[in-house]
Amino acid sequence: QSSKAVELGLNNAPTDAAAANLELLVENVLDPLAAEGLSFQVTNGYRSDAVNKAVGGTDGSNHTTGLAADLVFDGDAATSPQSRVRLFEETITDITRDIGEMIIYENTNHIHLVYKAGGPQKRLLQIGPPGNYVSWEEAPSSSKYDAFRTLGKE
């Protein structure tokens, strides 16, 4: 249930196609992560086009198709940039290869995951204003995550 949808009186019921995609996302990404002992909260999942617009989501967001979720991890990953980088670069993809896109946020501790059978994984860093993404491998040295990155530093 979206608090923004409730606040604005917007319909946020998924279409049949989005509901089927949500099942794939849960079965192939979220459930495997939880089964491996990762503790997290889903802060964003499906959003109707109206809700996506209301929360400032990007046009064509995978949230509107039911294929994306934003997660906040508990434990060390909640407070440690180094732990979030390890999750982002290694742990998540060691558990499931069915991720098409991963975004780690510079200004929060969220990690955005998009289900895509077999990948391949596209990693991005969100820096500055919403919608401003750079390739993880080309992340600026000014990023708070740079000291912990291994991918793209070979």
Side-chain angles (χ1 to χ4, degrees), residues 3-15:
S3 59
K4 184 58 83 173
V6 171
E7 173 189 332
L8 299 176
L10 299 172
N11 180 359
N12 198 41
T15 63

Side-chain angles (χ1 to χ4, degrees), residues 14-21:
T15 63
D16 289 344
N21 286 341

Side-chain angles (χ1 to χ4, degrees), residues 80-145:
S80 165
Q82 183 174 10
S83 293
R84 270 193 303 286
V85 168
R86 190 175 315 107
L87 273 171
F88 187 72
E89 288 191 342
E90 300 168 16
T91 308
I92 292 170
T93 53
D94 285 348
I95 295 170
T96 178
R97 303 299 291 169
D98 292 330
I99 297 174
E101 179 180 78
M102 301 172 69
I103 302 173
I104 191 168
Y105 292 81
E106 179 78 15
N107 59 347
T108 69
N109 65 350
H110 288 81
I111 294 179
H112 169 92
L113 301 175
V114 174
Y115 167 75
K116 182 178 180 186
Q121 291 81 32
K122 173 181 164 186
R123 289 181 176 86
L124 300 171
L125 170 66
Q126 190 274 325
I127 55 174
N132 187 28
Y133 303 104
V134 297
S135 163
W136 179 249
E137 289 78 8
E138 298 170 2
S141 60
S142 60
S143 166
K144 72 178 182 183
Y145 297 121

